[in-house]
Amino acid sequence: MSYKSTTVVHGGLDAAELHAAGVNPKDALDFSASLNPLGAPPGVRNAIAKADIANYPDRRSTTLVDALSKQLSVPRDCILPGNGSSELIHLFAQAYIRPGDAFCLFTPTFGEYEGACNAAGGKAVRIKAREADGFMWRSEEATAVIRKSQPKLAFLCNPNNPTGVLVSKLFVESVAKALPDDSLLVLDEAYIAFAEKAWDSLPLARKGRVAIMRSMTKDYGLAGIRLGYLVAAPHVIERLRPHQPSWSVSSVAQAAGVYALSQAGHVGCARREVRTAKDYLAGELRKLGLGVQPSKANFLLVKVGDASDVRARLLKKGMIVRDCASFGLPSYIRIGIRKANDCRRLVASLKEVFPRG
Ligand SMILES: Cc1ncc(COP(=O)(O)O)c(C=O)c1O
């Protein structure tokens, strides 16, 4: 049995690349990772300074699970924290995929799902969104592909990375219903905190056909610490748990998470910042004649022509955007929403790259 390996491409700063481009990392503005534009709540540093680093972490992240349980009104045994939601994706692959099993991907989408399931010997089945449909998947097509391929897992990112499309509850329910009995829909809500008018998906997790992943890395600007969690039926959590390495969520991550959850208004403030900066940025990009995909998330998918060339030109100016070629979209870049001031600096650079007239 040969395993297909996938090199997963991600956004984020690359020190060697910045050095080669003559950009001091301190001067670079990273629009390629889409995080809370306000950063971590003030006070996180104090909270992590108090974390016990001499002893091994609490393997069950008890205090963090309690805090999540209270905030989400979800029983404790339905919550599993992870070393970023990326770790949870790998746990799903290990727990559900055996060599030759099918898994469904709603594409274009985040590459880690395929990387993790390929490493477990799975076979990818793609449900493709078309540009002409505004990157919204067709419901009947999706359910037909699922019925035919009988996947062990399906991954649906909502809102989707990189398109910013937010699917409805009805869509998610119809996908879950089409899955075979012993399989699961993983709903990745890494960016849901920044979506306006998001619907409440948590009740779906109770039924055992849908598992919901969230990223505190994104919600609270903790990318250097890594923290994510899963909300799912207890039997799903118990199926993943044996695959999770001991102590995978560090004491520092647990302390940061507990403190972040106590900062009730932080995510709401970030959502408002995202809305203002996103509206401004989308307006300016359209004035430059660029096609901007409507987005419910904290990033914009922008049609620029040769994305690799545009990225390289912006990089020289210290602005890092995501070339979407690895998503199968070589004419698009993805721009993570930062504070309005940073977005203004990006617009100034874009005006040099795309002079009008
Ligand atoms: C859709 C999606 N899910 C999950 C992740 C992983 O996030 P985390 O930092 O929580 O591992 C990312 C990171 O870019 C992402 O885009």
Side-chain angles (χ1 to χ4, degrees), residues 84-86 89 110 113 157 161 188 190-191 215 217-218 226-228:
S85 49
S86 314
I89 295 168
F110 186 49
Y113 315 134
C157 184
N161 172 11
D188 184 350
Y191 300 100
S215 170
T217 301
K218 312 271 182 207
R226 331 254 332 104
L227 188 59

Side-chain angles (χ1 to χ4, degrees), residues 14-276:
D14 178 331
E17 187 190 38
L18 291 177
H19 182 74
V23 176
N24 183 339
K26 286 195 188 119
D27 300 331
L29 280 185
D30 184 12
F31 293 87
S32 68
S34 306
L35 299 161
N36 184 320
L38 304 180
V44 160
R45 277 177 196 277
N46 276 343
I48 63 179
K50 290 185 197 139
D52 176 4
I53 59 165
N55 289 297
Y56 279 96
D58 172 7
R59 293 173 62 173
R60 291 263 173 167
S61 304
T62 312
T63 313
L64 176 62
V65 171
D66 283 346
L68 284 166
S69 166
K70 210 164 157 190
Q71 186 166 100
L72 305 171
S73 302
V74 164
R76 301 184 69 263
D77 59 352
C78 295
I79 298 170
L80 181 67
N83 184 357
S85 49
S86 314
E87 184 193 29
L88 300 170
I89 295 168
H90 285 264
L91 299 185
F92 277 115
Q94 288 161 36
Y96 281 80
I97 302 291
R98 294 288 158 268
D101 284 347
F103 60 94
C104 275
L105 299 172
F106 287 79
T107 64
T109 197
F110 186 49
E112 201 73 26
Y113 315 134
E114 186 166 6
C117 292
N118 278 350
K123 281 195 183 134
V125 176
R126 287 165 217 282
I127 298 164
K128 291 184 186 152
R130 298 165 179 82
E131 191 177 16
D133 293 341
F135 292 109
M136 183 61 84
W137 298 277
R138 295 180 185 177
S139 181
E140 310 74 51
E141 191 177 311
T143 50
V145 171
I146 287 170
R147 288 207 177 91
K148 188 163 173 232
S149 57
Q150 297 282 295
K152 294 287 185 227
L153 284 175
F155 289 92
L156 175 56
C157 184
N158 201 38
N160 186 44
N161 172 11
T163 56
V165 161
L166 185 80
V167 297
S168 67
K169 188 174 182 197
L170 201 68
F171 183 90
V172 173
E173 283 172 331
S174 67
V175 167
K177 216 169 140 198
L179 286 166
D181 278 347
D182 57 342
S183 81
L184 194 69
L185 172 63
V186 181
L187 192 63
D188 184 350
E189 295 191 334
Y191 300 100
I192 201 76
F194 306 107
E196 301 283 332
K197 298 190 187 140
W199 50 274
D200 180 14
S201 60
L202 293 178
L204 294 180
R206 266 187 232 128
K207 296 175 188 159
R209 303 295 294 277
V210 180
I212 294 152
M213 269 189 334
R214 293 196 179 150
S215 170
M216 293 183 71
T217 301
K218 312 271 182 207
D219 296 357
Y220 294 99
L222 302 172
I225 290 178
R226 331 254 332 104
L227 188 59
Y229 64 88
L230 176 71
V231 177
H235 73 269
V236 174
I237 304 271
E238 290 314 317
R239 188 161 169 182
L240 297 199
R241 217 186 271 287
H243 297 275
Q244 186 168 38
S246 307
W247 312 294
S248 80
V249 182
S250 73
S251 304
V252 168
Q254 293 180 36
V258 170
Y259 179 81
L261 289 170
S262 75
Q263 301 303 295
H266 191 68
V267 174
C269 286
R271 198 182 303 119
R272 287 188 284 282
E273 179 77 29
V274 164
R275 186 178 51 201
T276 311

